[in-house]
Amino acid sequence: MSDLRIAVVCSSNMNRSMEGHSCLSKKGFNVRSFGTGNQVKLPGPAPNMPNIYDFNTTYDEIYKDLLRKDPELYKTNGILHMLDRNRRIKPKPERFQSCKDTFDIIVSCEERVFDQIVEELESRERSENHPVHVINIDIQDNHEEATIGAFLIKNLITQLSECEDIDNEIDEIIQEFEHESNRNILHTLQFM
């Protein structure tokens, strides 16, 4: 469909980025997903008791761990379903800061993650000076919003993939998209 290299990034590479990854890959886009956090965090039995994992822990290992801890809780809150989807897409969560691949568009799912991506890109030694558009669409971290957000990301990426000169047309496309989606979009041009 498009030769754009796309990354979708949230904090833990669990919910929002993986929903976006799934939606874009079903449409044939060249997409990867990442998290920017130091660890992977999932809701636990109480707000002050999250489940915390290292980024090297596979989705399958996390699924089995939560199944062992409290299968009813994690089935009811949708975490097991989410992990099942994730493990069908790729083996484990990936940290953006550990990836040195080049992308054309990076979409973040919250402003804090957008800031972390920009900070990471600015701190890197540029190997190719390849332009990358970093775009933020704020998406609440719950299953329903992740689904809505994935469709918004797909719609924006589709529009960007269809334009003839992304660098000259992106501002106008984002402005129109902001108006249509009724969401504030952040955008900056960085180099990789």
Side-chain angles (χ1 to χ4, degrees), residues 19 63 74-88 143:
E19 190 68 39
Y63 183 93
Y74 298 112
K75 184 177 181 183
T76 303
N77 69 10
I79 302 287
L80 291 178
H81 175 74
M82 177 187 73
L83 287 164
D84 193 41
R85 173 206 62 210
N86 293 357
R87 64 187 181 175
R88 287 193 306 267
H143 300 302

Side-chain angles (χ1 to χ4, degrees), residues 6 8 19 22 29-30 32 44-45 58 62 67 70-71 82 92 107 112 119 123 126-127 136 146 164 171 174 181 185:
I6 302 155
V8 184
E19 190 68 39
S22 175
F29 285 104
N30 176 5
R32 293 189 52 204
T58 68
I62 297 169
L67 197 58
D70 190 339
M82 177 187 73
K92 64 182 182 170
V107 181
R112 179 177 56 91
E119 185 179 309
S123 73
R126 294 181 180 98
S127 53
N136 183 70
E164 289 186 28
D171 289 333
I174 286 176
S181 66
I185 308 295

Side-chain angles (χ1 to χ4, degrees), residues 2 9 23 36 75 109-110 115 117 131 149 164 174 177:
S2 164
V9 188
C23 191
T36 56
K75 184 177 181 183
C109 301
E110 68 179 275
D115 292 341
I117 292 166
E164 289 186 28
I174 286 176
F177 184 79

